[in-house]
Amino acid sequence: MTRQSRVHVRVVSPITTRGFRDVGVLKTLEYDGLTVSGSQIDVGPGSIESEFEIALSAPDTIARIIEAEREGVDAVVIDCMADPALRAAREAVRIPVLGPCQAGMHVAAMLGHRFSVLTVMRRLRAQFENAAALYGVTSRLASVRHLEIPVLELESDMAATLDVLAREARIAIEADGAEAVVFGCTGLLGCASALRERLLAEGFDIPVIDPIPNAINIAAALVRGGLSHSALSYPKPPRKNLPGYDRLNDLLFPGN
Amino acid sequence: MTRQSRVHVRVVSPITTRGFRDVGVLKTLEYDGLTVSGSQIDVGPGSIESEFEIALSAPDTIARIIEAEREGVDAVVIDCMADPALRAAREAVRIPVLGPCQAGMHVAAMLGHRFSVLTVMRRLRAQFENAAALYGVTSRLASVRHLEIPVLELESDMAATLDVLAREARIAIEADGAEAVVFGCTGLLGCASALRERLLAEGFDIPVIDPIPNAINIAAALVRGGLSHSALSYPKPPRKNLPGYDRLNDLLFPGN
Amino acid sequence: MTRQSRVHVRVVSPITTRGFRDVGVLKTLEYDGLTVSGSQIDVGPGSIESEFEIALSAPDTIARIIEAEREGVDAVVIDCMADPALRAAREAVRIPVLGPCQAGMHVAAMLGHRFSVLTVMRRLRAQFENAAALYGVTSRLASVRHLEIPVLELESDMAATLDVLAREARIAIEADGAEAVVFGCTGLLGCASALRERLLAEGFDIPVIDPIPNAINIAAALVRGGLSHSALSYPKPPRKNLPGYDRLNDLLFPGN
Amino acid sequence: MTRQSRVHVRVVSPITTRGFRDVGVLKTLEYDGLTVSGSQIDVGPGSIESEFEIALSAPDTIARIIEAEREGVDAVVIDCMADPALRAAREAVRIPVLGPCQAGMHVAAMLGHRFSVLTVMRRLRAQFENAAALYGVTSRLASVRHLEIPVLELESDMAATLDVLAREARIAIEADGAEAVVFGCTGLLGCASALRERLLAEGFDIPVIDPIPNAINIAAALVRGGLSHSALSYPKPPRKNLPGYDRLNDLLFPGN
Amino acid sequence: MTRQSRVHVRVVSPITTRGFRDVGVLKTLEYDGLTVSGSQIDVGPGSIESEFEIALSAPDTIARIIEAEREGVDAVVIDCMADPALRAAREAVRIPVLGPCQAGMHVAAMLGHRFSVLTVMRRLRAQFENAAALYGVTSRLASVRHLEIPVLELESDMAATLDVLAREARIAIEADGAEAVVFGCTGLLGCASALRERLLAEGFDIPVIDPIPNAINIAAALVRGGLSHSALSYPKPPRKNLPGYDRLNDLLFPGN
Amino acid sequence: MTRQSRVHVRVVSPITTRGFRDVGVLKTLEYDGLTVSGSQIDVGPGSIESEFEIALSAPDTIARIIEAEREGVDAVVIDCMADPALRAAREAVRIPVLGPCQAGMHVAAMLGHRFSVLTVMRRLRAQFENAAALYGVTSRLASVRHLEIPVLELESDMAATLDVLAREARIAIEADGAEAVVFGCTGLLGCASALRERLLAEGFDIPVIDPIPNAINIAAALVRGGLSHSALSYPKPPRKNLPGYDRLNDLLFPGN
């Protein structure tokens, strides 16, 4: 078990739109002993709202994660609630790789009897139910509720976004039995405190999980504990021909 | 409901190794009223034995499937038991897209009380258990057993492959409670009859599901019934910037 | 694996009311390479709306299915969503026997994230939830909704039936999260296209599964693939005294 | 809630073999305040070892149960671990009808962390796993083990039967994690004490549930508590034509 | 298997408020062959509405149960729907110890397709969902509904309590799919008949399970059958230092 | 969200044996920004190996946790894999309270496909399976294996303990499909590195979760993220008479 002085977590953005995730925001998540840095893919979708875009984001996300390990980073968080490339990237590196959805769902399951996911669009519902099944927490998922606001418009009217968040959280609590909520879009980063205040004012003292800060903190906890994902669950891929992905292959098998 | 005279099913190979899937083999799966054709990706892994390779195979597989729909094909079967790109490709087209793992597991669940998957390597076990969870048939999965033979070596000693298949099937039946088996690798195409004969000779009259022929036949059945996947579960992705994937975007949104 | 030129599927009606299932309707389900024929029980209920009637329909249904196999038919579909006698009949024959409920639920689970069953009366709800549990697809069942119309009155006012179907489908989609629907009564045969058009017009492009045509097509697919149910799951009953069922015993053990 | 002085439970044997269930045995299950009587079907299988025989036993079993209610009996237990006709018979009467499998599994789940079923033949395994799913106790079922002895031969060498029972119980405890056992055949009636003594001698102090005595006692408990099955789950069948079952219809709708 | 003439069941009240459970009420639950007696803790909460109070009620409840066994009582029922100390007490004695929640849920699952729990306050919902998970009947639990009345006020306006019970039962039936109900508070003892009459008058003929009478009757059934909990699931604790609980230790290991 | 400079985690030992948990060991778990302190109960069992002892440990453990919050501690970890008093203590305080079993199981589920628990005695198996059910991770639990060594003897022959640990871990991996392990006894604190080295040497690169360090690190992560358990799941108990627990009541409702 390592007792290292500082932990360095890299947040990898699996979308190509520049400026969506302000690095300054990541810096506000640091504290004594924790460094947070960011990187971003060059090849892939402008944003992720579909399985199609998840698929296209994966190859370059894996490359960024291999690079992070090469640079000596201690752990990686993928900056998207679809956890794109999570399993593939874990095969490629030995430092912990966390998906904010997986980490958020497990923390929610620890803190409340049941939790709801508040996401942006109805089409993502199946995705979150599938995630809960894969992560083994289906029995803790109360519901998936959506705001019907596209990812890239979340910040254009923050007050309106917050109103809808509060309304859906209330329905999740009263109709679906939720006793904790997880944001279903990393684009909501930073709204957790505001939503929690609103809910508290209505008498609902429940955890509101902001998935990126949460995943960063859990990643740091794993590093502190000397833990990473199982190489039996995520064994290294065999070296083979990868036409069209030579650079990724070189990254994975350097010096070969 | 259409009563069309012929059904055309395209088998898309998500690996770049040439000659692994002989088109002649696909032709033997045809019958009166059914045409089977094949296509293959150019960009992606030589074979698929990891989540990493699944991720790399997806983008070009989606392209091949969009092209198949453009050509007037009636349904597509993805030629790999990892069902790579299944959900993403369904978002991109309206003709039925089938994964041999999904179709094989559901047919096995219909024909036997429980089924086992016989695959090539231990590392694929988590993948099949995850698939069963996503497809909703976990309670029907008796076990995942492996031959410890890499995909590309399956055919080098067919008699040996068959011996190991028979041994693992027997253990699945006697120790795990399997009452049907599904091949967990499409590289075993064509071994089903031989394995079934062996098991019959030992007194085990159980279905041995060869996933590619099975998926083709189920695909044809869906076409005959006028059925395809739900556009509510698999809505079309929004048009947006896809740096590095311009051609795929053009395929998906032609004339834009 | 057989590549036979034509497949012959027998639809066995487990009710004694004459004329309920017009053989002409079955003929419309044929296509090049597929023959569909029908038979019906003489002893049993006029229609099936209870577990009591399911029980009474079973013995003669088994007899009809043994006769079908004796006549050289390739596969049998039982014409009732309660799948009466399904397991018992499978023990009696080696040709595939399909229940429209089992086949419909598995196909629905393949095509949509979750499905709802639209049936005739509230009392059938437990029956469909039990079926989903037995068939292993509970996690895919969004809800069971009913029209509150008895089976034999479904066709008296087709427009009204369709209105209620559309309303319940809409609630299933919006309130229960259904993304596919299966008819929960074979008396609705032929309404699928009309309902699908209605839903499409409202923006819901989802599969509407008509269980009898679907089961016929899946049965043909199994025959094409040389597959039938497991004799390990459905072993032949031992010959023994069956007071009151001598004819059935003779059918099962001819020449004995 | 009734406080009646005596409770009368009828044990209905759903097989046609005479003398298999000695009425004298039933009398040994009586105690102050409890009367136990028996009846038997005339039409149906000589014994029940298959789904086919379950189906054939159902119609006359329902008749015997309606007669029991007509005679003023307080509750009925069906004398077979397949619980044949359980749901159908509950629709036909308002006195409690218990299946020994259902009652035995629920009592086992109350008394031990997990239980195993010890039955006669391998072919019954799927049946018990299906029963556990229908009764909602799948998570409590450790395993189904079998003696490979046909029902009608159980009593021919009681010492041998007991040896095999003890061996399988031990394996269930040590390998499958069972902490209670239920006999999976009512033909084992009376062996519970002997098996329990054996297991105690080996240090395993676990409940051995003899399903018929257990179901009788639970039935009496329900009568004492004024409880019966739900008419919402088991509504009375509508009166309709039942060709070939006129007598059963007359029994169900007397005076019509 | 014992055929003893009388069965003596002790009802242990795990709360310190005197007079809440009138012993006279317990006497009305007796019948020929059944004696019911009561005892109560001295150390612990005045009533139980939280996990905190469950924890505080446990030590003295265990003491009362050991005393009951010492006195020759045949079985014990814990008088609280939280089943406090159930598992701990079973380790301490070999006579059957029943929790009314466990017994009520299993009986409900036997009598109806699904059941709802009607309890006093929202905060108990997680507790009952957890209980269903531990007892293995999650799939049978339709919902947990509450009256929003504290335990000690239930009897102050019985008519009002009954009105709310009837309203919540109706919603459970119509909206949640319940086909049986279990009271989620032993303070409702005696209301079952009245609620059942109300529901019958509205056309809902369903079992209303009064958990204390039910647990007493099931306990008597277990005693009649010679059954108790598994010593493998509930092994006796080892003797060791128990600072602050010397008397309990002496009770458990007398003469040591 | 707080960005406080230091986090203070209190480890509360729910057993009365002095010297079992050396405070010096807790200090080795500190790092820059993290303070770890300890406290211990005075009333309760010398060690915890049964449900009986869990029950007796709860009241004073709750008192210690309330005191910790009163002292300004940021989070509490209960020092026992039975997570005694976890739910009750959460009702009593608003700072995060973690059970090492709950935190260990969720982290194991994040890092490996399935995990096994390695505990001290067979009798704890039901306890861990129940815990997995309550925490919602049953589908991730591969097995519970035991060393058959009592808690207080674990350290007497560390080499022997390690040998048995390694053997059971190997069986868990090869026979049960485990791909991560969690210690099922906090008495194994400090053995994780040694076991992991052994397994690595045998080619098994899997996470070995030491539950106390892990729970401390996760607790710190929650404090960093401003998260605590839901007050909707764990509402404060109402003030009421608690005969025999006056001091606990005063602690919970000070100044009343």
Side-chain angles (χ1 to χ4, degrees):
Chain A
M1 214 167 307
T2 60
R3 285 287 83 120
Q4 51 184 113
S5 53
R6 288 193 70 76
V7 172
H8 180 178
V9 176
R10 169 70 47 85
V11 176
V12 173
S13 175
I15 63 174
T16 50
T17 302
R18 303 292 145 180
F20 178 73
R21 175 67 73 234
D22 182 10
V23 178
V25 170
L26 297 180
K27 285 302 165 191
T28 67
L29 304 173
E30 296 188 335
Y31 51 79
D32 254 14
L34 175 71
T35 303
V36 182
S37 62
S39 72
Q40 187 168 12
I41 63 170
D42 299 317
V43 172
S47 65
I48 294 184
E49 292 158 299
S50 66
E51 296 276 352
F52 175 76
E53 291 151 354
I54 292 171
L56 301 196
S57 72
D60 214 30
T61 300
I62 301 169
R64 276 316 85 74
I65 292 171
I66 298 173
E67 288 165 3
E69 184 183 53
R70 199 68 46 80
E71 294 168 21
V73 160
D74 295 304
V76 169
V77 168
I78 299 167
D79 192 358
C80 173
M81 276 301 276
D83 291 356
L86 177 62
R87 289 192 298 276
R90 284 179 167 188
E91 292 179 342
V93 300
R94 288 306 296 138
I95 56 172
V97 180
L98 270 81
C101 180
Q102 190 190 48
M105 284 184 167
H106 278 289
V107 164
M110 273 193 261
L111 297 179
H113 178 61
R114 291 185 184 227
F115 64 91
S116 285
V117 173
L118 302 181
T119 188
V120 283
M121 294 177 351
R122 186 204 199 278
R123 61 181 299 162
L124 299 178
R125 177 175 171 160
Q127 178 190 302
F128 284 107
E129 292 186 357
N130 283 342
L134 282 184
Y135 301 152
V137 292
T138 294
S139 67
R140 303 293 98 184
L141 179 63
S143 63
V144 180
R145 296 207 154 264
H146 60 282
L147 317 180
E148 212 57 77
I149 306 177
V151 179
L152 298 178
E153 294 172 22
L154 285 174
E155 298 186 8
S156 55
D157 184 349
M158 237 1 192
T161 293
L162 199 61
D163 281 348
V164 183
L165 269 177
R167 185 193 65 209
E168 293 301 318
R170 214 177 299 122
I171 300 174
I173 292 168
E174 294 183 336
D176 307 333
E179 304 189 344
V181 296
V182 185
F183 287 161
C185 176
T186 57
L188 293 166
L189 193 153
C191 301
S193 306
L195 176 60
R196 186 163 146 72
E197 288 312 312
R198 284 255 197 137
L199 294 175
L200 259 180
E202 299 179 33
F204 300 126
D205 178 3
I206 66 167
V208 176
I209 295 170
D210 202 343
I212 293 301
N214 177 65
I216 290 171
N217 291 325
I218 296 296
L222 296 178
V223 173
R224 292 296 184 188
L227 293 170
S228 190
H229 48 270
S230 171
L232 220 57
S233 302
Y234 305 97
K236 195 165 188 184
R239 178 169 185 80
K240 65 178 64 157
N241 282 333
L242 296 173
Y245 293 109
D246 295 344
R247 192 163 144 263
L248 194 46
N249 210 10
D250 290 348
L251 264 174
L252 188 55
F253 297 97
N256 257 10
Chain B
M1 211 166 308
T2 58
R3 285 287 83 126
Q4 50 184 114
S5 54
R6 287 193 70 77
V7 172
H8 179 179
V9 176
R10 167 73 45 86
V11 176
V12 173
S13 176
I15 63 174
T16 50
T17 301
R18 303 291 145 182
F20 178 73
R21 174 68 72 234
D22 181 10
V23 178
V25 171
L26 297 180
K27 285 301 165 192
T28 67
L29 304 173
E30 296 188 335
Y31 52 80
D32 254 15
L34 175 72
T35 303
V36 183
S37 61
S39 71
Q40 186 168 14
I41 63 170
D42 300 317
V43 172
S47 65
I48 293 184
E49 292 158 299
S50 66
E51 296 276 352
F52 175 77
E53 291 150 354
I54 292 171
L56 301 196
S57 73
D60 214 31
T61 300
I62 301 169
R64 279 311 87 74
I65 292 171
I66 298 174
E67 288 165 2
E69 184 183 53
R70 200 69 45 78
E71 294 168 22
V73 160
D74 295 304
V76 169
V77 168
I78 299 167
D79 192 358
C80 173
M81 276 300 275
D83 291 356
L86 177 62
R87 289 192 298 276
R90 284 179 167 188
E91 291 178 343
V93 300
R94 289 304 297 139
I95 56 171
V97 180
L98 268 81
C101 180
Q102 189 189 48
M105 284 184 168
H106 278 290
V107 164
M110 273 193 263
L111 297 178
H113 177 62
R114 291 188 184 223
F115 64 91
S116 286
V117 173
L118 303 180
T119 189
V120 282
M121 293 175 354
R122 186 203 199 279
R123 59 180 302 160
L124 300 177
R125 177 175 170 160
Q127 178 190 302
F128 284 107
E129 292 186 358
N130 284 340
L134 282 185
Y135 301 152
V137 292
T138 293
S139 67
R140 304 293 98 184
L141 179 63
S143 63
V144 180
R145 295 207 155 265
H146 61 281
L147 316 180
E148 212 55 77
I149 305 177
V151 179
L152 298 178
E153 294 173 20
L154 286 173
E155 299 187 7
S156 55
D157 183 349
M158 235 7 191
T161 294
L162 199 61
D163 281 349
V164 183
L165 270 176
R167 185 194 64 208
E168 294 301 319
R170 215 178 300 121
I171 300 174
I173 292 168
E174 295 184 334
D176 307 332
E179 304 189 343
V181 295
V182 185
F183 286 160
C185 176
T186 58
L188 293 166
L189 194 153
C191 301
S193 307
L195 177 60
R196 186 163 145 72
E197 289 312 312
R198 284 255 196 136
L199 294 175
L200 258 179
E202 300 179 32
F204 301 126
D205 179 1
I206 65 167
V208 176
I209 295 170
D210 202 344
I212 292 301
N214 177 64
I216 290 171
N217 291 325
I218 297 295
L222 296 178
V223 173
R224 291 296 184 188
L227 292 169
S228 190
H229 48 272
S230 171
L232 220 58
S233 303
Y234 305 97
K236 196 166 187 183
R239 180 172 182 78
K240 66 178 65 157
N241 282 333
L242 294 174
Y245 292 108
D246 295 342
R247 193 165 143 262
L248 194 46
N249 210 11
D250 289 349
L251 264 173
L252 189 55
F253 298 97
N256 257 8
Chain C
M1 213 166 308
T2 58
R3 285 288 82 129
Q4 50 184 113
S5 53
R6 289 194 68 76
V7 172
H8 179 178
V9 176
R10 168 73 45 86
V11 177
V12 174
S13 176
I15 63 174
T16 49
T17 301
R18 303 290 145 182
F20 179 73
R21 174 69 73 234
D22 182 10
V23 178
V25 171
L26 297 179
K27 285 300 166 193
T28 67
L29 304 173
E30 296 188 335
Y31 51 79
D32 254 15
L34 175 72
T35 303
V36 183
S37 61
S39 71
Q40 186 168 13
I41 63 170
D42 299 317
V43 172
S47 66
I48 294 183
E49 291 158 300
S50 66
E51 295 276 352
F52 175 76
E53 291 151 353
I54 292 171
L56 300 196
S57 72
D60 214 31
T61 300
I62 301 170
R64 279 310 88 73
I65 292 171
I66 297 174
E67 289 165 1
E69 184 183 53
R70 200 69 45 78
E71 293 167 23
V73 160
D74 296 304
V76 169
V77 168
I78 299 167
D79 193 357
C80 172
M81 275 301 274
D83 291 355
L86 177 61
R87 289 192 296 276
R90 283 179 168 189
E91 291 178 343
V93 300
R94 287 306 296 139
I95 57 171
V97 180
L98 269 80
C101 180
Q102 189 190 49
M105 284 185 167
H106 278 290
V107 164
M110 273 193 261
L111 297 179
H113 177 61
R114 292 187 183 223
F115 65 91
S116 286
V117 173
L118 303 181
T119 189
V120 282
M121 293 177 353
R122 186 204 199 278
R123 61 180 300 162
L124 300 177
R125 177 176 170 159
Q127 178 189 302
F128 285 107
E129 291 186 358
N130 283 341
L134 282 185
Y135 300 152
V137 292
T138 294
S139 67
R140 304 293 99 185
L141 179 64
S143 63
V144 180
R145 295 208 154 264
H146 61 281
L147 317 181
E148 213 56 77
I149 305 176
V151 179
L152 298 178
E153 294 173 21
L154 286 173
E155 299 187 7
S156 55
D157 184 349
M158 235 5 190
T161 293
L162 199 61
D163 281 349
V164 183
L165 270 177
R167 185 193 64 208
E168 294 301 318
R170 215 177 300 121
I171 300 175
I173 293 168
E174 294 184 335
D176 307 332
E179 304 190 342
V181 296
V182 185
F183 287 160
C185 176
T186 58
L188 293 166
L189 194 153
C191 300
S193 306
L195 177 59
R196 187 163 145 73
E197 289 312 313
R198 283 257 197 135
L199 293 174
L200 258 180
E202 299 179 32
F204 300 126
D205 179 2
I206 66 168
V208 176
I209 295 171
D210 202 344
I212 293 301
N214 178 64
I216 291 171
N217 292 325
I218 296 295
L222 296 179
V223 173
R224 292 297 185 187
L227 292 170
S228 190
H229 48 271
S230 171
L232 219 58
S233 303
Y234 304 97
K236 195 164 187 183
R239 179 171 183 79
K240 67 178 63 157
N241 281 333
L242 296 173
Y245 293 108
D246 295 343
R247 193 164 144 263
L248 194 46
N249 210 11
D250 290 348
L251 264 174
L252 189 55
F253 297 97
N256 257 9
Chain D
M1 213 166 307
T2 60
R3 286 288 82 129
Q4 51 185 114
S5 54
R6 288 193 70 77
V7 172
H8 180 179
V9 176
R10 169 71 47 84
V11 176
V12 174
S13 176
I15 63 174
T16 49
T17 302
R18 303 291 145 181
F20 179 73
R21 174 69 72 234
D22 181 10
V23 177
V25 171
L26 297 180
K27 285 300 165 192
T28 67
L29 304 173
E30 296 188 335
Y31 51 80
D32 254 14
L34 175 71
T35 303
V36 182
S37 62
S39 72
Q40 186 168 13
I41 63 171
D42 300 316
V43 172
S47 66
I48 295 184
E49 291 158 300
S50 66
E51 296 276 352
F52 175 76
E53 292 150 354
I54 292 171
L56 300 196
S57 72
D60 214 31
T61 300
I62 301 169
R64 277 314 86 74
I65 292 171
I66 297 173
E67 289 165 0
E69 184 182 53
R70 200 68 45 79
E71 294 168 22
V73 160
D74 296 303
V76 169
V77 168
I78 299 167
D79 192 359
C80 173
M81 276 301 275
D83 292 356
L86 177 62
R87 289 193 297 277
R90 284 180 167 188
E91 291 179 342
V93 300
R94 287 306 295 137
I95 56 171
V97 180
L98 269 81
C101 179
Q102 189 190 48
M105 284 184 167
H106 278 289
V107 164
M110 273 193 262
L111 296 179
H113 178 61
R114 292 186 183 225
F115 64 92
S116 286
V117 173
L118 303 181
T119 190
V120 283
M121 293 175 356
R122 185 203 201 279
R123 60 181 300 161
L124 300 177
R125 178 175 170 159
Q127 178 190 300
F128 285 107
E129 292 186 358
N130 283 342
L134 282 185
Y135 301 152
V137 292
T138 294
S139 67
R140 303 294 97 184
L141 179 63
S143 63
V144 180
R145 296 208 154 264
H146 62 280
L147 317 180
E148 212 57 77
I149 305 175
V151 179
L152 298 178
E153 295 172 22
L154 285 174
E155 298 185 7
S156 55
D157 184 349
M158 236 3 190
T161 294
L162 199 60
D163 281 348
V164 182
L165 270 176
R167 184 193 66 209
E168 293 301 318
R170 214 178 300 122
I171 300 175
I173 292 168
E174 294 184 334
D176 307 332
E179 304 188 342
V181 296
V182 185
F183 287 160
C185 176
T186 58
L188 293 167
L189 194 153
C191 301
S193 306
L195 177 60
R196 186 163 146 72
E197 288 313 311
R198 284 255 197 137
L199 294 174
L200 259 179
E202 300 179 31
F204 301 126
D205 179 2
I206 66 167
V208 176
I209 295 170
D210 202 344
I212 292 302
N214 178 65
I216 290 171
N217 291 325
I218 296 296
L222 297 179
V223 173
R224 292 296 184 187
L227 292 170
S228 190
H229 49 270
S230 171
L232 219 57
S233 302
Y234 304 97
K236 195 165 188 184
R239 179 169 184 81
K240 65 179 62 157
N241 282 333
L242 296 173
Y245 293 108
D246 295 343
R247 192 163 143 263
L248 195 46
N249 211 10
D250 290 347
L251 264 174
L252 189 56
F253 298 97
N256 257 9
Chain E
M1 213 167 306
T2 59
R3 284 288 83 126
Q4 51 184 114
S5 54
R6 288 193 70 76
V7 172
H8 180 179
V9 176
R10 169 71 46 85
V11 176
V12 173
S13 176
I15 63 174
T16 49
T17 301
R18 302 291 144 180
F20 179 72
R21 175 68 72 233
D22 181 10
V23 177
V25 170
L26 297 180
K27 285 300 163 191
T28 66
L29 304 173
E30 296 188 335
Y31 52 78
D32 254 14
L34 175 72
T35 302
V36 182
S37 62
S39 71
Q40 186 168 13
I41 62 171
D42 301 316
V43 172
S47 66
I48 294 183
E49 291 157 300
S50 65
E51 296 276 351
F52 175 77
E53 291 150 353
I54 292 171
L56 300 196
S57 73
D60 214 30
T61 300
I62 301 169
R64 278 313 87 75
I65 292 171
I66 297 174
E67 289 164 1
E69 185 183 52
R70 199 70 45 79
E71 294 168 22
V73 160
D74 296 305
V76 170
V77 168
I78 299 167
D79 191 359
C80 173
M81 277 300 275
D83 291 356
L86 178 61
R87 289 193 296 277
R90 284 179 167 189
E91 291 178 342
V93 300
R94 288 305 297 136
I95 55 171
V97 180
L98 269 82
C101 179
Q102 189 190 49
M105 284 184 168
H106 278 290
V107 164
M110 273 193 263
L111 296 180
H113 178 61
R114 292 188 183 222
F115 65 91
S116 286
V117 173
L118 302 181
T119 189
V120 282
M121 295 177 350
R122 187 204 199 277
R123 59 181 301 160
L124 300 177
R125 177 175 170 162
Q127 177 190 303
F128 284 106
E129 292 186 358
N130 283 341
L134 283 185
Y135 301 151
V137 293
T138 294
S139 67
R140 304 293 97 185
L141 178 63
S143 63
V144 180
R145 295 208 155 264
H146 61 283
L147 316 181
E148 212 56 78
I149 304 176
V151 180
L152 298 178
E153 296 172 21
L154 286 173
E155 299 187 8
S156 55
D157 184 349
M158 239 0 194
T161 294
L162 200 61
D163 280 348
V164 183
L165 270 177
R167 184 194 66 208
E168 294 301 319
R170 215 177 300 120
I171 300 175
I173 293 167
E174 294 184 336
D176 307 333
E179 304 189 344
V181 296
V182 184
F183 287 160
C185 177
T186 57
L188 294 166
L189 194 153
C191 301
S193 307
L195 177 60
R196 186 162 146 71
E197 288 312 313
R198 285 257 196 135
L199 294 175
L200 259 180
E202 299 178 33
F204 300 125
D205 179 1
I206 66 168
V208 175
I209 295 169
D210 201 343
I212 293 301
N214 177 66
I216 290 171
N217 292 324
I218 296 296
L222 296 179
V223 173
R224 292 294 184 189
L227 292 171
S228 190
H229 48 271
S230 171
L232 221 58
S233 302
Y234 305 97
K236 195 166 187 184
R239 180 170 182 79
K240 67 178 62 158
N241 282 333
L242 295 173
Y245 293 108
D246 295 341
R247 195 166 141 258
L248 195 45
N249 210 9
D250 290 347
L251 265 174
L252 189 55
F253 297 96
N256 257 10
Chain F
M1 213 167 306
T2 59
R3 285 290 82 128
Q4 51 184 114
S5 53
R6 288 194 70 77
V7 172
H8 180 178
V9 176
R10 168 72 46 85
V11 176
V12 174
S13 176
I15 64 174
T16 49
T17 301
R18 302 291 144 181
F20 179 73
R21 174 68 73 233
D22 181 10
V23 178
V25 170
L26 297 180
K27 285 302 163 190
T28 67
L29 304 173
E30 296 188 335
Y31 50 79
D32 255 13
L34 176 72
T35 302
V36 183
S37 61
S39 71
Q40 186 167 12
I41 62 171
D42 300 316
V43 173
S47 66
I48 294 183
E49 291 158 299
S50 66
E51 296 276 351
F52 175 76
E53 291 151 352
I54 292 171
L56 301 196
S57 73
D60 214 30
T61 300
I62 301 169
R64 280 310 89 74
I65 292 172
I66 297 173
E67 288 165 0
E69 185 183 53
R70 200 68 46 77
E71 295 167 22
V73 160
D74 295 305
V76 169
V77 168
I78 299 167
D79 192 358
C80 173
M81 276 301 275
D83 291 356
L86 177 62
R87 290 192 297 277
R90 283 180 167 188
E91 291 178 342
V93 300
R94 289 305 297 138
I95 56 171
V97 180
L98 269 82
C101 180
Q102 189 190 48
M105 284 183 166
H106 278 290
V107 164
M110 274 193 261
L111 296 179
H113 178 61
R114 291 187 184 224
F115 64 91
S116 286
V117 173
L118 302 181
T119 189
V120 282
M121 294 175 354
R122 186 204 200 278
R123 59 181 300 160
L124 300 177
R125 177 176 170 162
Q127 177 190 302
F128 284 107
E129 292 186 359
N130 283 342
L134 283 185
Y135 301 152
V137 293
T138 293
S139 67
R140 303 294 97 185
L141 179 64
S143 63
V144 180
R145 295 207 155 263
H146 61 281
L147 316 181
E148 212 56 78
I149 304 177
V151 179
L152 298 178
E153 296 172 21
L154 286 173
E155 298 187 9
S156 55
D157 183 350
M158 235 8 190
T161 294
L162 199 62
D163 280 349
V164 183
L165 271 176
R167 184 194 65 209
E168 293 302 318
R170 215 178 299 122
I171 300 175
I173 293 168
E174 294 183 336
D176 308 331
E179 304 189 343
V181 297
V182 185
F183 287 161
C185 176
T186 58
L188 293 166
L189 194 153
C191 301
S193 306
L195 177 60
R196 186 162 147 72
E197 288 312 312
R198 283 255 197 135
L199 295 174
L200 259 179
E202 299 178 33
F204 300 126
D205 179 2
I206 66 167
V208 176
I209 295 170
D210 201 343
I212 293 300
N214 178 64
I216 291 171
N217 291 324
I218 297 296
L222 296 178
V223 173
R224 292 297 184 188
L227 292 170
S228 190
H229 48 271
S230 171
L232 220 57
S233 303
Y234 304 97
K236 196 166 186 183
R239 180 172 184 78
K240 68 178 62 158
N241 282 333
L242 295 174
Y245 293 108
D246 295 342
R247 193 165 142 260
L248 195 45
N249 210 10
D250 289 348
L251 265 174
L252 189 55
F253 297 97
N256 257 10

